[in-house]
Amino acid sequence: MGHLKLQTQTGINAIEEEPEQCNAGYPNKTTVACMINAEIGAVLAVMRRNVRWGVHYMSDDDQLEHSLVQSLKALRRKIFLWRNQWHAINPALYLRPFLDVIQSDETGAPITGVALSSVYKILTLDVIDQNTVNVGDTMHLVVDAVTSCRFEVTDPASEEVVLMKILQVLLACVKSKASAMLSNQHICTIVNTCFRIVHQAGTKGELLQRIARYTMHELVRCIFSHLQDVNNTDHSLVNGSAALTQETRQLGNGNLNSANGSQPLSAHIASNASSFVSATTMDENTHIASDGKEADPHELHLMSEPYGVPCMVEIFHFLCSLLNVVEHMGMSPRSNTIAFDEDVPLFALTLINSAIELGGSSFRHHPKLLSLIQDELFRNLMQFGLSMSPLVLSMVCSIVLNLYHHLRTELKLQLEAFFSCVILRLAQSRYGASYQQQEVVMEALVDFCRQKSFMVEMFANFDCDITCNNVFEDIANLLSKSAFPVNTPLSSMHILALDGLIAVMQGMAERIGVGSVNSENYQQVDLEDYTPFWIEKCENFNDPDHWVPFVCRRKYFKRKLMTGADHFNRDPKKGLEFLQGTNLLPDKLDPQSVACFFRYTAGLDKNLIGDFLGNHDDFCIQVLHEFARTFDFADMTLDNALRLFLETFRLPGESQKIQRVLEAFSERYYEQSPHILANKDAALLLSYSIIMLNTDQHNVQVKKKMTEEDFIRNNRRINGGNDLPREFLSDLYHSICKNEIRTTPEQGAGFPEMTPSRWIYLMQKSKKTSPFIVSDSRAYLDHDMFAILSGPTIAAISVVFDNAEHEEVYQSCMDGFLAVAKISAYYHLDNVLDDLVVSLCKFINILDPSLDDEPVLAFGDDIKARMATETVFAIANRYGDYIRTGWRNILDCILRLHKLGLLPAHMASDAAEELYAETGHAKPNANTLSSIHLQSSTPKRSSGLMSRFSQLLSLGTEEPRSEPTEEQLVAHQRTLQTIQKCHIDSIFTESKFLQAESLLQLTKALISAAGRPQKGNNISEDEDTAVFCLDLLVAITLNNRDRIGLLWQGVYEHISTIVQSSVMPCVLVEKAVFGLFKICQRLLPYKENIADELLRSLQLVLKLDARVADAYCEQITQEVGRLVKANASHIRSQLGWRTITSLLSITARHPEASEAGFDALQFIMSDGAHLLPANYVLCVDAARQFAESRVGQSERSVQALDLMSVSVNCLAKWTSDARKAMEEEQVGKMLQDIGDMWLRLVQGLRKLCLEQREEVRNHALLSLQKCLVGAVGICLPHDLWLQCFDLVIFPVLDDLLEIALAQSQKDYRNMEVSLILALKLLSKVFLQLLPDLSQLTTFAKLWLGVLSRMEKYMKVKIRGRRTEKLQELVPELLKNTLLVMKSGGILVQSSVSTGDGLWELTWPHVNNIAPALQSEVYTEQDSEHLQQKQVETAGGVGPEENVSAHSKETVSQDGAGVG
């Protein structure tokens, strides 16, 4: 039923016998009776003061009291006799005597006042509620009595007291538990009465004025607080107007008659008594309904029901009508006094604001209330929004903010109009607004911006709607411009605008991660075919999956249309062609599409539109008529329709064009509003007449103005031969005279004033516009919004931060920077983030030592620099993934801090874990800044913060220094805290989490910051910086081992440049070389794919200048040793091993480095642990060099020889493994490789067999023997053994013999022993290989070579005499050899002597050595036996024949080896 739901209570229990107790929430029965009795006594006491109320004596001497006194006394007698509980007693019984006193016109103000107080006290006793007997009638009685209160005014003070008590009682009625029983009519009467007292209190005292306004305010709050409890139906008044009784229908004019037709309040009290002034400024037009209209019985019934929506509609309409006071008085709100401007409107606005605050979103469920807000209220808000009064303007903004919160879905176009025509207009001084107005508007705008979804909804609903203004962009531009202090000091307005920008940014930042949707998914709008942009529809405005792509598509249309407008304004033809190219207009233009382009595209030149529409071309005429059809003139007066039509283009000056334009307008107007006009010709003629009247009235050159009669006379018989109604024409005349129709409308977007015609059009448009899109907390459109806002916001924050002087503003700016950074990172806008970093870094220039003698102190004292430093590093740590060129600026800041000694010393040592693990120390906390961590990387410079600070504490030898002041101590402490908060080291230690592109940019920035050293310079221009950057570069490389391929090229080139440009030892080249080793050592276990490349980089060490290499040789060797020991199993390629062995080999002759180098080589070769086919030859060569070196004495050479000799076991093992695991072809290849390795091994030993040192020489011969004898298991091919004899064994014997003959004993001691060892080696190897070698065709040659060496050794003379040991050894060895050959059937006498057989070739040499050997070895019996054996094998070819057949080569006399 549209009224309040009655909140009935459960049963009421009887009052218990104990008098002190109450039951069911009611007061004690006796207590209430006593209270009422006291009130009766109080009223009677006051009445007795006046003789009028004394005792009257009749003629019969009977006493007769006044009826008022009698009723009070009668109540007094009964009150203690009632047995029922108070809720069961009709309240009228004990209230009526008081109400009679109040209504009596005989009582004076004091008596009435006491009676009102009594009623108020009874109402507040909680004895009357919804369950009380006859409560409804009682409440009606109270309201009727109080609103029709009469009393005799004796003095102003007592009159004001009565009025205040009337207000008190009425408010108590509405606030009481029984208020739900009041009818709609009574609520209206209460409000009417209170307002009249408010109005008339203007002539009374200040206290009454304030109480009256307070009461009115409380009434409205109390009434509208129940709107949410009203049934969700609308049984308010029908037919759009209130059909109340006469007194209720006139709420607007102060006519406060009571329901029973009695006289108005305080009227006709006494002939000489003063009465209230009933004059009011409001016109009869403010009546809610026409006085002449008959009341509808249904509406009367509604008004008598318990109060609900009907009375709220009336009250709200009444409050809105108060805002029309100025209009009806013919006053402009900008031309009146502040006093009047603020009084009535401000009071009405305050009440309206309270109603909206308490009614909230419930207004939307009641069409009548909602309609009042949409039209009448908002129209007045638009008017008073331009008020000169800051109070009024502020209240208007507060109301709109409340409406936005509760009802924005119902007020889409109203909100757009308010922002465009009020907020954005007043906020700019060019429209004539005062500074106070601008400030109030800016505060309001910032309040809106603080609403999380406000800017999103502005963008979605208006900026993405082709028929609406770009409210979001306009607000963004306003805020960014207003935040810039241009040639003026920073003011509160600038900071306020900045707060708005930052609020918007923080809103976006908060939406990130809350179920965020990347709007880029919706950004791709591809128009392959022509699409009529004005008929785009959305299936569901409540579903983001539908409305987000819809608004993105509309925004795309709008942008293209704006671009098309720019082209059109320069050349209409090219503009249309551009839109055809974007498929927003069809390839073949049609009138409707062009008309919609003109109608809905902002920024078009209205002169060009007018010329196009007025053109006589058939197509242009069709466009004109389609253009007219885009307007909705329904229910609009002709002049307002014409105003609206002519605002969209400039009416052409030629009469024919004007006629064509007006014909199209008239046709459209007549279609939609045919009520008065007979036909479209009548509309055309009247339109012409209006244009002429407009020119006549508003052209200064026309001296004689057209009168109303002239206008009516000029329009006779134009309505189908009949006259138009005179009132109709008169209204048109006055409307045109009052408001000019501008035939040259304003160009550009701008912020126009709201005119009546525009408002009418807005209300019509609101019925058809798309629904208001309500955004949730997800970031649907933030990408596009941020693209518009980011640049201006960064610039504005930077400027304000630069000019600000208060810490609160600084912090606000930093919050803004962080919000921008967060959004930029989320949308991967690295260019925005780079700009942000650049802007921030310029505030850290204070760290430049050249700007201040004590930059550390200056930094500690400069809160701006410290906050900027904290913020820039917070951004670097949180959002480094999306920083690109900004890394260079960040590094500049880091380098400044480093130069001042403000960074932890271990910040750049990425390998701290390893180093400290090896030494057994705990790793220091890199984030802790202390005196330990603040040592400089260069020992000559003490630049740590604590060391610098200690300088202040120390006393110099030359002049005494004062101790630091307390301020300096505090400044240093602040500096420490700031650097700790920055976590600068995390940028590099956490660089493994950076995205690839950002990481690459960071390394490039480091390399660039380090500078490029020039060849020949001792150190670079700033070695300290270069060293620091190199440390950081190495740290980053080590932290990004999984992405070494991305970084390696740049890192290697940088280190290479340093290494090759250094000619003297310095810290930089030291860091470069050992950084390179560190990288290799850490990455080799994980990156086998680039192991060769890493190891190849170590060849840079071989390119070091000799002086540099010599200085660091020992440390380099130690690093190589560590590298090998840790990663030997990961080095597999020959290239890698070549680098390692090269580095080890060069240390063989270095005094300090050789020990470490040999230690590393031993690790590789001992037991063949890390020997591989890939490194075998390289390691053998390196071992040979260590054996040849005299740095480590003979002992090390002997150890090196042992390494070489033992390595032959690896060859044997590889041979065995190959035969087991490989296929035949692979085995052959492997065996060939092994043979080559073995040959290199014995060749290396051959050289060492000629060593000058006796111990080394002899050990080399023994080692060679081991390698030759041990090679049997390798299964070397025969030709390789022949090579071995030719290249190794024979040359060893020959060279040793030559040395023994040519060199002095002093240089080569005990050569005899070496010759003996060599001869034994020859004999042993020959005999071991004899069975295989004897089968070769070249065996004879080999055998002769052996014999010739023995013969030479037999004849050798050392120091002029033959040695006994050789004289004994040679025959013995030869005899053993001949016996073996004899037993094997290799050396036998042939039956046929050819002269060149083995037998014949052997004995001449043997006889030269020991003539008796033949007879000792070969007896006659042996010869006969052998001959007999040969005869038995006749037909076959014996070995000796085989040998002799192929032994026709010339053998030299000395038996030289096989050639």
Side-chain angles (χ1 to χ4, degrees):
M1 283 296 296
H3 53 77
L4 292 178
K5 291 182 264 188
L6 296 178
Q7 305 295 323
T8 58
Q9 297 183 353
T10 56
I12 303 173
N13 298 326
I15 299 178
E16 297 181 0
E17 293 183 2
E18 290 81 8
E20 292 82 6
Q21 292 185 335
C22 303
N23 195 17
Y26 293 103
N28 180 276
K29 178 182 175 183
T30 306
T31 303
V32 175
C34 290
M35 290 180 180
I36 295 177
N37 182 63
E39 294 304 317
I40 295 171
V43 175
L44 289 173
V46 176
M47 293 178 74
R48 290 192 181 102
R49 290 181 181 176
N50 194 317
V51 69
R52 178 187 302 176
W53 306 106
V55 177
H56 293 272
Y57 294 94
M58 303 301 292
S59 57
D60 56 358
D61 296 333
D62 290 335
Q63 294 182 353
L64 180 64
E65 292 181 315
H66 196 280
S67 59
L68 296 179
V69 176
Q70 288 181 346
S71 62
L72 288 168
K73 289 184 176 181
L75 175 60
R76 200 171 204 176
R77 287 192 295 270
K78 297 176 184 176
I79 194 166
F80 290 104
L81 301 177
W82 288 331
R83 298 298 178 188
N84 294 328
Q85 300 299 328
W86 282 103
H87 69 275
I89 300 172
N90 185 354
L93 295 177
Y94 51 84
L95 280 174
R96 186 177 292 278
F98 297 100
L99 299 179
D100 291 340
V101 172
I102 293 170
Q103 287 181 294
S104 172
D105 53 6
E106 298 179 32
T107 56
I111 300 172
T112 306
V114 174
L116 286 166
S117 295
S118 300
V119 172
Y120 173 75
K121 190 171 184 179
I122 294 170
L123 287 175
T124 56
L125 282 178
D126 288 336
V127 295
I128 302 176
D129 61 15
Q130 295 174 5
N131 300 307
T132 304
V133 174
N134 201 29
V135 65
D137 292 341
T138 302
M139 294 302 293
H140 296 170
L141 282 174
V142 173
V143 172
D144 290 341
V146 175
T147 55
S148 60
C149 171
R150 298 173 182 82
F151 61 92
E152 182 180 356
V153 178
T154 56
D155 61 276
S158 60
E159 177 188 358
E160 291 185 18
V161 170
V162 172
L163 293 177
M164 283 190 279
K165 291 189 175 183
I166 290 173
L167 295 171
Q168 193 178 41
V169 173
L170 292 177
L171 181 58
C173 289
V174 176
K175 285 188 171 183
S176 73
K177 295 179 180 179
S179 61
M181 306 307 297
L182 292 171
S183 68
N184 287 299
Q185 181 173 335
H186 281 101
I187 293 293
C188 290
T189 304
I190 290 171
V191 173
N192 193 1
T193 302
C194 288
F195 179 73
R196 184 171 179 193
I197 294 175
V198 169
H199 178 67
Q200 296 185 356
T203 61
K204 310 298 180 184
E206 179 76 14
L207 181 61
L208 177 62
Q209 293 181 37
R210 292 183 180 275
I211 291 178
R213 289 177 182 249
Y214 168 78
T215 306
M216 188 76 179
H217 191 260
E218 287 298 302
L219 280 175
V220 171
R221 287 178 59 84
C222 189
I223 293 167
F224 280 90
S225 66
H226 295 300
L227 183 59
Q228 298 177 0
D229 303 324
V230 175
N231 291 329
N232 192 15
T233 55
D234 190 59
H235 290 285
S236 57
L237 307 185
V238 296
N239 300 324
S241 64
L244 306 180
T245 55
Q246 179 67 25
E247 62 277 12
T248 308
R249 282 186 278 125
Q250 297 180 357
L251 275 174
N253 67 353
N255 196 353
L256 298 169
N257 293 346
S258 65
N260 60 9
S262 59
Q263 293 297 318
L265 185 65
S266 74
H268 304 287
I269 295 175
S271 58
N272 297 325
S274 62
S275 62
F276 288 144
V277 179
S278 60
T280 178
T281 58
M282 284 174 275
D283 192 271
E284 290 295 324
N285 292 328
T286 61
H287 294 179
I288 295 171
S290 171
D291 292 349
K293 183 179 292 186
E294 290 294 329
D296 188 318
H298 175 65
E299 293 177 352
L300 290 175
H301 172 68
L302 287 177
M303 291 306 292
S304 63
E305 285 190 346
Y307 85 90
V309 174
C311 72
M312 296 183 194
V313 171
E314 291 303 302
I315 294 168
F316 201 83
H317 181 252
F318 166 63
L319 297 177
C320 292
S321 69
L322 292 178
L323 297 175
N324 293 327
V325 172
V326 176
E327 180 180 345
H328 294 306
M329 290 187 65
M331 297 177 66
S332 168
R334 300 185 64 174
S335 62
N336 52 27
T337 63
I338 290 294
F340 185 83
D341 190 21
E342 289 185 350
D343 187 29
V344 176
L346 185 59
F347 179 57
L349 290 169
T350 305
L351 296 177
I352 290 170
N353 190 44
S354 295
I356 293 170
E357 285 174 344
L358 291 161
S361 57
S362 301
F363 278 97
R364 66 161 52 92
H365 304 308
H366 307 288
K368 292 291 188 300
L369 285 170
L370 181 60
S371 176
L372 285 171
I373 291 174
Q374 289 174 324
D375 191 354
E376 186 172 358
L377 174 60
F378 240 106
R379 186 177 70 247
N380 287 317
L381 291 177
M382 298 290 292
Q383 177 186 7
F384 281 96
L386 300 176
S387 168
M388 294 296 290
S389 166
L391 291 174
V392 171
L393 178 56
S394 178
M395 185 53 65
V396 168
C397 293
S398 298
I399 292 173
V400 176
L401 180 60
N402 278 322
L403 290 173
Y404 167 78
H405 269 299
H406 300 303
L407 299 171
R408 59 184 180 274
T409 55
E410 318 298 332
L411 301 170
K412 177 179 177 179
L413 297 185
Q414 288 88 340
L415 287 170
E416 180 203 7
F418 183 78
F419 283 106
S420 296
C421 301
V422 177
I423 296 286
L424 293 168
R425 185 180 179 87
L426 287 181
Q428 303 184 57
S429 56
R430 63 191 176 103
Y431 289 102
S434 67
Y435 182 82
Q436 284 184 323
Q437 284 178 298
Q438 293 179 53
E439 193 169 28
V440 170
V441 165
M442 188 61 71
E443 288 172 350
L445 187 55
V446 172
D447 285 339
F448 276 101
C449 291
R450 292 190 177 113
Q451 316 310 310
K452 301 305 179 186
S453 63
F454 170 73
M455 290 296 262
V456 186
E457 291 171 351
M458 293 299 103
F459 185 77
N461 288 287
F462 304 127
D463 290 54
C464 295
D465 190 334
I466 58 173
T467 65
C468 297
N469 295 324
N470 288 337
V471 176
F472 169 82
E473 284 193 37
D474 291 338
I475 292 175
N477 291 334
L478 171 65
L479 290 174
S480 57
K481 288 177 182 177
S482 300
F484 267 87
V486 181
N487 300 324
T488 58
L490 196 66
S491 68
S492 60
M493 185 77 81
H494 299 128
I495 296 172
L496 200 57
L498 183 70
D499 286 343
L501 282 174
I502 293 174
V504 176
M505 285 299 176
Q506 289 176 330
M508 289 188 195
E510 288 175 13
R511 285 192 287 273
I512 290 175
V514 185
S516 298
V517 176
N518 195 341
S519 61
E520 291 178 350
N521 299 334
Y522 303 114
Q523 303 297 319
Q524 305 301 324
V525 179
D526 186 17
L527 295 183
E528 297 180 355
D529 301 316
Y530 162 63
T531 304
F533 58 85
W534 63 91
I535 60 172
E536 283 285 310
K537 300 294 182 186
C538 177
E539 295 180 8
N540 186 355
F541 281 94
N542 295 319
D543 184 359
D545 290 336
H546 288 94
W547 70 255
V548 174
F550 170 70
V551 298
C552 289
R553 187 175 174 86
R554 285 204 306 186
K555 185 60 178 176
Y556 172 82
F557 290 159
K558 196 169 186 178
R559 287 196 181 110
K560 291 298 180 182
L561 288 172
M562 297 295 285
T563 307
D566 291 337
H567 288 293
F568 181 86
N569 292 341
R570 289 192 292 268
D571 185 334
K573 184 178 179 181
K574 289 184 178 179
L576 296 176
E577 289 174 353
F578 169 81
L579 292 172
Q580 287 176 298
T582 58
N583 290 323
L584 287 178
L585 291 180
D587 293 335
K588 183 178 180 181
L589 292 175
D590 64 77
Q592 185 184 22
S593 61
V594 177
C596 289
F597 169 62
F598 289 158
R599 182 74 172 88
Y600 301 121
T601 305
L604 287 172
D605 188 327
K606 295 182 179 180
N607 292 318
L608 293 176
I609 299 176
D611 291 340
F612 191 100
L613 295 177
N615 199 304
H616 62 81
D617 182 76
D618 288 342
F619 181 75
C620 294
I621 293 173
Q622 293 174 6
V623 172
L624 172 62
H625 284 271
E626 289 293 340
F627 182 78
R629 289 191 187 97
T630 63
F631 290 86
D632 182 6
F633 296 137
D635 300 324
M636 293 182 72
T637 61
L638 183 63
D639 63 314
N640 282 332
L642 195 55
R643 290 177 200 277
L644 182 64
F645 186 67
L646 296 179
E647 277 184 356
T648 56
F649 62 94
R650 183 182 184 277
L651 188 64
E654 300 175 27
S655 60
Q656 291 180 338
K657 291 184 176 181
I658 293 174
Q659 181 173 353
R660 281 191 286 271
V661 169
L662 291 181
E663 282 178 354
F665 166 76
S666 303
E667 180 179 336
R668 178 62 174 169
Y669 183 79
Y670 179 72
E671 284 179 9
Q672 295 184 305
S673 299
H675 312 300
I676 296 178
L677 300 172
N679 49 47
K680 63 181 181 181
D681 292 334
L684 175 61
L685 291 172
L686 189 54
S687 299
Y688 250 119
S689 181
I690 289 173
I691 295 294
M692 291 173 63
L693 173 64
N694 187 69
T695 304
D696 176 87
Q697 292 294 322
H698 299 286
N699 191 327
V700 295
Q701 296 179 351
V702 178
K703 302 301 180 183
K704 186 179 180 181
K705 302 296 184 182
M706 187 185 303
T707 65
E708 181 179 346
E709 290 300 325
D710 294 337
F711 179 70
I712 294 173
R713 186 169 55 253
N714 292 341
N715 290 289
R716 286 178 180 170
R717 303 186 184 283
I718 64 171
N719 194 26
N722 298 318
D723 288 341
L724 289 163
R726 182 180 182 87
E727 295 80 7
F728 175 70
L729 293 174
S730 178
D731 289 343
L732 285 177
Y733 176 83
H734 290 292
S735 175
I736 299 301
C737 292
K738 185 177 180 181
N739 295 309
E740 177 187 4
I741 297 178
R742 297 181 180 177
T743 55
T744 55
E746 299 174 0
Q747 290 285 356
F751 303 113
E753 286 190 83
M754 178 56 68
T755 61
S757 58
R758 286 175 182 158
W759 184 259
I760 293 170
Y761 172 67
L762 182 146
M763 293 307 298
Q764 290 182 332
K765 180 181 173 184
S766 65
K767 299 174 184 176
K768 302 177 182 179
T769 190
S770 57
F772 188 95
I773 296 169
V774 178
S775 177
D776 54 24
S777 59
R778 287 185 282 181
Y780 297 113
L781 304 171
D782 285 0
H783 182 274
D784 277 354
M785 293 165 56
F786 185 70
I788 296 169
L789 265 179
S790 58
T793 301
I794 293 174
I797 297 175
S798 299
V799 173
V800 173
F801 186 65
D802 194 19
N803 289 275
E805 297 179 353
H806 299 290
E807 187 173 350
E808 296 81 5
V809 181
Y810 296 158
Q811 188 58 54
S812 179
C813 291
M814 294 304 100
D815 293 342
F817 276 132
L818 288 173
V820 172
K822 183 178 181 180
I823 304 165
S824 304
Y826 179 74
Y827 291 113
H828 304 177
L829 301 174
D830 46 79
N831 57 330
V832 177
L833 204 53
D834 287 337
D835 291 343
L836 178 58
V837 169
V838 170
S839 298
L840 266 173
C841 286
K842 69 182 181 183
F843 296 109
I844 315 179
N845 285 334
I846 187 69
L847 291 173
D848 190 348
S850 63
L851 298 179
D852 200 294
D853 294 336
E854 283 292 342
V856 177
L857 286 176
F859 181 70
D861 289 331
D862 191 336
I863 186 173
K864 185 181 295 185
R866 286 187 283 111
M867 292 182 78
T869 304
E870 289 180 24
T871 304
V872 78
F873 286 110
I875 291 172
N877 277 304
R878 296 179 199 174
Y879 314 116
D881 276 343
Y882 308 101
I883 298 175
R884 300 292 182 264
T885 57
W887 280 123
R888 183 56 203 269
N889 301 85
I890 293 171
L891 278 175
D892 287 342
C893 297
I894 294 175
L895 291 175
R896 290 195 192 106
L897 294 170
H898 170 67
K899 288 178 181 178
L900 295 174
L902 298 178
L903 296 183
H906 294 288
M907 195 189 83
S909 63
D910 97 308
E913 290 176 308
E914 232 180 55
L915 297 176
Y916 280 83
E918 289 177 2
T919 57
H921 296 294
K923 181 185 176 183
N925 184 356
N927 291 333
T928 303
L929 194 65
S930 68
S931 58
I932 298 174
H933 300 153
L934 290 173
Q935 301 305 314
S936 171
S937 59
T938 53
K940 294 181 180 180
R941 179 183 175 196
S942 179
S943 62
L945 176 59
M946 297 308 294
S947 62
R948 291 173 61 85
F949 187 49
S950 65
Q951 293 172 8
L952 295 171
L953 298 171
S954 64
L955 296 176
T957 55
E958 296 181 1
E959 56 179 352
R961 297 187 181 182
S962 60
E963 293 188 3
T965 64
E966 185 176 349
E967 290 77 11
Q968 289 175 324
L969 289 167
V970 172
H972 275 277
Q973 187 61 32
R974 284 196 292 254
T975 301
L976 283 169
Q977 292 172 351
T978 298
I979 302 304
Q980 287 175 342
K981 290 178 183 176
C982 288
H983 302 292
I984 298 173
D985 57 313
S986 298
I987 295 173
F988 306 100
T989 58
E990 302 299 320
S991 61
K992 56 181 170 287
F993 301 114
L994 283 179
Q995 288 189 1
E997 180 61 26
S998 178
L999 180 64
L1000 199 57
Q1001 292 294 335
L1002 175 57
T1003 55
K1004 287 180 179 178
L1006 272 171
I1007 293 169
S1008 174
R1012 188 178 181 86
Q1014 299 298 318
K1015 180 72 174 177
N1017 287 358
N1018 189 13
I1019 57 172
S1020 63
E1021 191 172 321
D1022 188 349
E1023 187 186 23
D1024 191 32
T1025 298
V1027 168
F1028 184 70
C1029 290
L1030 182 60
D1031 280 341
L1032 294 178
L1033 190 63
V1034 171
I1036 288 175
T1037 306
L1038 295 175
N1039 277 308
N1040 289 274
R1041 66 189 185 199
D1042 293 330
R1043 296 185 287 182
I1044 186 64
L1046 178 72
L1047 306 176
W1048 179 244
Q1049 188 62 33
V1051 174
Y1052 173 77
E1053 289 177 0
H1054 182 59
I1055 293 177
S1056 176
T1057 303
I1058 295 172
V1059 168
Q1060 297 186 47
S1061 62
S1062 300
V1063 295
M1064 292 294 289
C1066 62
V1067 176
L1068 182 60
V1069 70
E1070 179 184 348
K1071 291 281 187 180
V1073 170
F1074 295 110
L1076 193 59
F1077 275 111
K1078 195 182 296 183
I1079 291 171
C1080 291
Q1081 184 156 338
R1082 289 281 293 275
L1083 299 186
L1084 276 175
Y1086 307 101
K1087 293 294 170 186
E1088 294 184 5
N1089 56 326
I1090 62 166
D1092 289 347
E1093 198 169 344
L1094 289 171
L1095 292 168
R1096 189 189 299 121
S1097 69
L1098 294 178
Q1099 293 178 2
L1100 285 175
V1101 179
L1102 302 175
K1103 299 178 183 179
L1104 281 170
D1105 184 272
R1107 288 167 291 187
V1108 178
D1110 185 62
Y1112 302 120
C1113 190
E1114 183 177 5
Q1115 296 97 309
I1116 290 173
T1117 309
Q1118 289 172 351
E1119 287 297 327
V1120 175
R1122 292 193 191 98
L1123 180 68
V1124 169
K1125 291 176 182 178
N1127 300 287
S1129 60
H1130 302 292
I1131 306 173
R1132 303 186 182 281
S1133 69
Q1134 186 177 18
L1135 178 64
W1137 281 111
R1138 185 181 302 281
T1139 304
I1140 295 296
T1141 54
S1142 299
L1143 291 169
L1144 293 177
S1145 297
I1146 62 175
T1147 68
R1149 291 173 175 80
H1150 196 281
E1152 289 84 12
S1154 61
E1155 183 177 353
F1158 186 69
D1159 182 58
L1161 186 63
Q1162 275 186 309
F1163 176 79
I1164 298 170
M1165 297 185 68
S1166 293
D1167 302 324
H1170 298 290
L1171 280 176
L1172 303 169
N1175 68 0
Y1176 184 85
V1177 173
L1178 298 170
C1179 290
V1180 166
D1181 286 345
R1184 179 183 58 78
Q1185 293 190 47
F1186 275 99
E1188 291 174 348
S1189 171
R1190 297 196 178 194
V1191 171
Q1193 303 301 325
S1194 299
E1195 182 182 354
R1196 184 178 296 160
S1197 298
V1198 170
Q1199 290 175 338
L1201 287 169
D1202 289 340
L1203 292 177
M1204 295 175 72
S1205 63
V1206 172
S1207 68
V1208 77
N1209 297 332
C1210 288
L1211 298 178
K1213 182 177 183 298
W1214 294 341
T1215 302
S1216 173
D1217 293 344
R1219 291 183 182 280
K1220 294 176 183 177
M1222 297 184 179
E1223 297 179 2
E1224 190 173 345
E1225 292 182 4
Q1226 292 176 323
V1227 170
K1229 177 69 171 63
M1230 184 64 184
L1231 292 179
Q1232 182 180 350
D1233 293 341
I1234 291 173
D1236 293 341
M1237 292 180 225
W1238 175 82
L1239 187 60
R1240 288 292 296 271
L1241 170 65
V1242 294
Q1243 283 179 320
L1245 288 170
R1246 168 191 168 265
K1247 295 178 182 178
L1248 292 167
C1249 290
L1250 310 178
E1251 174 63 37
Q1252 188 175 4
R1253 293 169 294 171
E1254 177 187 1
E1255 183 182 356
V1256 176
R1257 181 174 66 246
N1258 293 340
H1259 199 79
L1261 286 166
L1262 294 173
S1263 297
L1264 178 59
Q1265 181 176 311
K1266 288 181 185 177
C1267 292
L1268 293 172
V1269 173
V1272 174
I1274 303 176
C1275 301
L1276 298 172
H1278 297 152
D1279 56 344
L1280 190 62
W1281 277 112
L1282 294 177
Q1283 275 187 290
C1284 178
F1285 274 96
D1286 286 344
L1287 300 177
V1288 178
I1289 300 174
F1290 290 159
V1292 165
L1293 270 72
D1294 295 342
D1295 292 343
L1296 283 173
L1297 188 61
E1298 183 180 349
I1299 289 171
L1301 295 173
Q1303 300 296 332
S1304 68
Q1305 179 69 20
K1306 185 177 179 180
D1307 294 332
Y1308 286 84
R1309 297 181 181 275
N1310 297 324
M1311 282 300 298
E1312 182 182 5
V1313 176
S1314 300
L1315 294 174
I1316 292 171
L1317 291 174
L1319 204 56
K1320 287 181 178 179
L1321 179 152
L1322 173 66
S1323 175
K1324 187 168 185 176
V1325 173
F1326 181 77
L1327 290 175
Q1328 184 170 319
L1329 298 171
L1330 184 60
D1332 296 325
L1333 296 178
S1334 64
Q1335 304 299 319
L1336 300 177
T1337 58
T1338 59
F1339 176 72
K1341 186 176 182 181
L1342 176 65
W1343 168 237
L1344 291 177
V1346 172
L1347 288 175
S1348 66
R1349 267 66 181 188
M1350 287 185 173
E1351 186 177 352
K1352 286 182 181 180
Y1353 271 60
M1354 187 68 184
K1355 297 176 181 179
V1356 67
K1357 292 182 179 180
I1358 299 176
R1359 288 181 292 176
R1361 62 184 179 85
R1362 296 181 180 180
T1363 64
E1364 294 180 1
K1365 292 182 179 180
L1366 282 175
Q1367 295 296 317
E1368 294 175 359
L1369 179 64
V1370 173
E1372 183 181 349
L1373 293 176
L1374 181 57
K1375 181 180 180 179
N1376 289 339
T1377 304
L1378 291 173
L1379 288 171
V1380 174
M1381 294 176 71
K1382 171 190 172 185
S1383 64
I1386 296 171
L1387 182 64
V1388 295
Q1389 186 175 6
S1390 175
S1391 59
V1392 180
S1393 178
T1394 61
D1396 57 356
L1398 189 63
W1399 183 268
E1400 289 81 5
L1401 294 173
T1402 300
W1403 296 115
H1405 290 285
V1406 173
N1407 291 334
N1408 288 338
I1409 297 168
L1413 277 179
Q1414 185 174 9
S1415 59
E1416 290 180 17
V1417 176
Y1418 286 91
T1419 62
E1420 293 182 1
Q1421 294 176 351
D1422 294 333
S1423 300
E1424 291 176 359
H1425 177 73
L1426 289 171
Q1427 289 175 359
Q1428 181 62 34
K1429 191 174 182 179
Q1430 289 176 355
V1431 170
E1432 292 175 358
T1433 59
V1437 181
E1440 69 281 359
E1441 294 174 343
N1442 188 33
V1443 171
S1444 64
H1446 300 282
S1447 301
K1448 297 186 179 179
E1449 298 178 14
T1450 303
V1451 180
S1452 64
Q1453 284 298 103
D1454 60 356
V1458 179

